[in-house]
Amino acid sequence: MDVGLFDFDLPEDRIALRPASPRDAARLLVVRPDAAEPFADRGIRDLPSLLEPGDALVLNDTRVIPSRLRGRRYRGEDFARVEIMLHKRESEDRWLAFARPAKKLSLGETVSFDTDGASNACELARLQAEVVAKGEGGEVGLRFSLTGAYLDEAIERLGELPLPPYIAGKRPTDSADTTDYQTQFARSDGAVAAPTAGLHFTPELLAALKARGVSSHFVTLHVGAGTFLPVKTDDTDDHRMHAEWGTVSPETAAALNAARAKGGRIVCIGTTALRLIESAAEEDGTIRPFTGDTAIFITPGYRFRAVDLLMTNFHLPRSTLFMLVSAFCGLDLMKRAYAHAIAAHYRFYSYGDGSLLFRAE
């Protein structure tokens, strides 16, 4: 499809720079493709009343790591600064990352990381990474000098929280972001971007959903920076999705299948949870246990196998995520929904408001 079909104009002042406080005070646009009035302006706290007893939530429990690293590459006594954005772990000591500037990095070259302006000699005792692969779009493969838990500890110490550029470009990251940019149920380290629909949830909201008879189930998809990269091709067929690692446990798969068998609906909280569940689903909608990489790219024409409802934030123009919601509800309806949200002053992107989408039949 022509990527231009997924474009729209968004005023700068609609981009949220801080989340709602408390988290569940955000607004919620309900989109029902089969309704005479397809749009309803509600709030996140209305979610229990919008679902039915027996419905099953799918939540992503990944935790964002401080994946932006600032380093130096040395050539003799000269050095140049390099910014590294980790996006997918490949082994105990290897990561795929986006480098800036990437063109000046050579295979076999070493990047050293620190937080102070240490000398070259001091740098050699610090965390280092060798460039072992180079790809497209600034992607590099890095092999670190530390491994396993030691590498994790070094990344936690040296890294910075990777706020999306549409926030980081307007204000610095601060201490509030260390909690604001994690979900209440984050527990599995590995994401470099938050599963943002989950940011709206509070213990009180989860308790209200449980009281309503809605069950909650957890999966893990380590969200990579590649998910949020702009689509630079003119045709969706030419865009390459970056793979992300995820897992659906046998227990979660069995519980979701049991809920569906009893007439309950699968409600994915976030596009990350939806992509993982659809990757794990058979043609008949049966959800299988899954562990591995997924690079599923959902555009209009895709037939959804298992997911009935999707709660998600508002996404960027021409993004793979806007393509996904357009596949879920229909492109024309979603463009109307986003126009409604802009006119009604909904807040967009990671710290913004949410939408609850019912799948088009």
Side-chain angles (χ1 to χ4, degrees):
M1 298 182 69
D2 181 356
V3 172
L5 294 172
F6 302 93
D7 202 3
F8 57 89
D9 293 325
L10 179 70
E12 283 287 315
D13 63 1
R14 300 297 191 273
I15 300 173
L17 300 184
R18 297 284 183 184
S21 181
R23 292 172 181 244
D24 58 5
R27 300 169 71 188
L28 183 71
L29 176 62
V30 181
V31 179
R32 297 178 183 264
D34 59 349
E37 296 292 336
F39 310 133
D41 298 309
R42 305 290 293 270
I44 296 292
R45 291 170 182 163
D46 295 324
L47 184 60
S49 67
L50 295 165
L51 302 179
E52 300 293 338
D55 287 346
L57 295 188
V58 183
L59 300 126
N60 186 0
D61 67 4
T62 190
R63 179 181 175 274
V64 182
I65 63 171
S67 55
R68 178 177 285 113
L69 297 169
R70 301 185 189 278
R72 296 175 174 85
R73 61 170 179 82
Y74 286 93
R75 291 176 182 171
E77 293 299 319
D78 298 327
F79 72 86
R81 298 183 186 277
V82 181
E83 181 178 302
I84 298 294
M85 174 64 74
L86 306 176
H87 80 83
K88 184 176 184 294
R89 191 169 201 154
E90 292 199 301
S91 68
E92 288 292 281
D93 65 347
R94 291 182 62 155
W95 276 84
L96 291 176
F98 295 108
R100 191 171 61 179
K103 290 183 178 179
K104 295 185 178 180
L105 284 177
S106 303
L107 286 175
E109 193 163 24
T110 297
V111 179
S112 299
F113 303 96
D114 80 341
T115 56
D116 50 24
S119 69
N120 192 359
C122 293
E123 286 276 356
L124 295 177
R126 296 177 180 271
L127 179 66
Q128 296 181 308
E130 179 188 357
V131 179
V132 295
K134 294 194 70 174
E136 299 177 352
E139 187 178 52
V140 295
L142 299 175
R143 182 170 59 230
F144 285 88
S145 56
L146 298 176
T147 187
Y150 295 104
L151 176 57
D152 296 342
E153 181 180 346
I155 291 171
E156 285 287 338
R157 177 170 57 87
L158 297 173
E160 300 173 15
L161 193 73
L163 281 184
Y166 44 79
I167 297 175
K170 296 187 177 183
R171 66 164 180 82
T173 302
D174 57 32
S175 59
D177 293 308
T178 60
T179 54
D180 288 344
Y181 201 58
Q182 300 281 9
T183 66
Q184 297 287 304
F185 35 81
R187 60 192 180 204
S188 181
D189 288 352
V192 302
T196 55
L199 297 179
H200 296 295
F201 282 74
T202 62
E204 294 77 15
L205 179 59
L206 287 169
L209 288 159
K210 183 177 180 179
R212 174 67 169 161
V214 177
S215 58
S216 295
H217 310 275
F218 294 93
V219 298
T220 303
L221 183 77
H222 290 326
V223 190
T227 298
F228 302 98
L229 290 177
V231 178
K232 296 181 178 180
T233 61
D234 294 327
D235 193 294
T236 57
D237 286 345
D238 298 325
H239 178 70
R240 181 177 70 90
M241 289 286 286
H242 287 81
E244 297 164 315
W245 183 91
T247 184
V248 180
S249 70
E251 295 77 14
T252 292
L256 295 176
N257 289 330
R260 293 181 74 244
K262 294 177 182 178
R265 298 172 297 181
I266 303 299
V267 185
C268 280
I269 305 303
T271 56
T272 62
L274 180 146
R275 292 176 63 243
L276 183 56
I277 291 299
E278 288 294 313
S279 297
E282 302 285 355
E283 287 289 337
D284 64 357
T286 301
I287 299 167
R288 303 294 185 191
F290 179 95
T291 297
D293 290 344
T294 178
I296 187 172
F297 182 21
I298 297 175
T299 58
Y302 176 85
R303 185 182 69 82
F304 289 87
R305 299 174 177 183
V307 180
D308 301 295
L309 284 85
L310 169 64
M311 179 177 157
T312 185
N313 286 16
F314 293 96
H315 304 295
L316 280 71
R318 302 174 69 94
S319 65
T320 63
L321 301 181
F322 184 62
M323 294 172 190
L324 185 154
V325 298
S326 297
F328 199 74
C329 285
L331 175 57
D332 290 342
L333 184 64
M334 286 313 300
K335 294 189 84 165
R336 289 168 51 205
Y338 272 49
H340 172 95
I342 292 168
H345 291 265
Y346 277 78
R347 302 164 72 244
F348 273 61
Y349 302 164
S350 296
Y351 278 155
D353 296 314
S355 61
L356 181 66
L357 312 180
F358 288 71
R359 190 184 70 204
E361 297 299 333

